[in-house]
Amino acid sequence: MTSSPLILAIGDSLVAGYGLATADGFAAQLERRLRGRYSEASVRPAARSGDTSADALRRLPTILSSLRARPDLAIVQVGPNDMLRRIAPATTRANLDAILVELGRCGVPVLLTTVAPPPFLQGQARDYLGIHTEVAARHGAETWPFVPPGVLGHPQMVLGDRVHPNAAAIARVTDAMLPVVERMLGDAHGSAPPRADA
């Protein structure tokens, strides 16, 4: 495995770092963590706050054509805005399916992340539960909870809007996600990831 893997981070406000300094956002924090093992790892942010699955799908060709190299991994985080805007679950499923088809066509492994709805939204979210797992299984992708337990809704883990994660929360996100990202990078190249001191 090269010491300079490229990870593409596609998504909504959780990935875009809504309300955060660039250095505190998901892409920057994950990149710093990966560089403890991959000295020149790069996490390319390709997210916009408010994006639905349709928005991500629409932007995907432009995102991919802007890259100089094929990503070693794509992390895809979309879906919550579909639910909040009451987009038909079938549409969300079709959009996610199309995103994974396109990434698969380009030979890019995918980590499709999920977000568990807070208790007050569980009724509204009922018809969306399981969509990501279903789509990932169909395409041989992996799923992972974007927000680890104990972070979502914690008063010390959100910005002033009481919704979006703060820098400390994103640090918890990257800590929890790091092992699966490193494993997928190693799997993609048929080897365990090298240590920085090797």
Side-chain angles (χ1 to χ4, degrees):
M1 175 65 188
T2 176
S3 64
S4 55
L6 172 63
I7 296 90
L8 182 63
I10 302 169
D12 51 26
S13 59
L14 296 176
V15 176
Y18 174 87
L20 300 177
T22 300
D24 292 331
F26 172 74
Q29 290 209 45
L30 181 60
E31 182 176 281
R32 287 197 298 272
R33 293 303 311 277
L34 282 168
R35 286 189 175 183
R37 186 165 292 237
Y38 300 101
S39 60
E40 298 179 26
S42 176
V43 180
R44 172 75 178 270
R48 288 182 182 171
S49 294
D51 261 12
T52 63
S53 60
D55 295 324
L57 176 59
R58 189 178 305 113
R59 292 193 301 109
L60 188 58
T62 301
I63 292 168
L64 293 173
S65 64
S66 72
L67 301 173
R68 295 184 178 180
R70 183 176 67 186
D72 296 281
L73 176 67
I75 300 171
V76 179
Q77 164 51 50
V78 288
N81 289 317
D82 290 49
M83 184 270 296
L84 291 172
R85 298 180 191 181
R86 300 183 183 276
I87 293 169
T91 300
T92 300
R93 182 182 291 106
N95 290 335
L96 288 173
D97 193 74
I99 289 170
L100 267 65
V101 164
E102 181 62 16
L103 290 168
R105 187 184 67 79
C106 295
V108 182
V110 176
L111 179 60
L112 186 60
T113 62
T114 62
V115 177
F120 68 91
L121 285 175
Q122 285 181 354
Q124 183 176 334
R126 181 176 57 250
D127 293 337
Y128 299 85
L129 300 178
I131 289 177
H132 290 68
T133 302
E134 172 195 332
V135 172
R138 187 157 56 246
H139 294 276
E142 296 209 28
T143 56
W144 189 260
F146 188 87
V147 183
V151 172
L152 192 65
H154 191 290
Q156 295 181 348
M157 293 284 165
V158 292
L159 299 175
D161 63 6
R162 300 184 180 182
V163 174
H164 289 93
N166 60 21
I170 295 299
R172 293 274 297 273
V173 167
T174 56
D175 285 347
M177 195 180 298
L178 186 65
V180 70
V181 170
E182 290 183 334
R183 175 176 59 75
M184 291 186 71
L185 290 175
D187 288 350
H189 291 263
S191 62
R195 297 194 61 84
D197 56 358

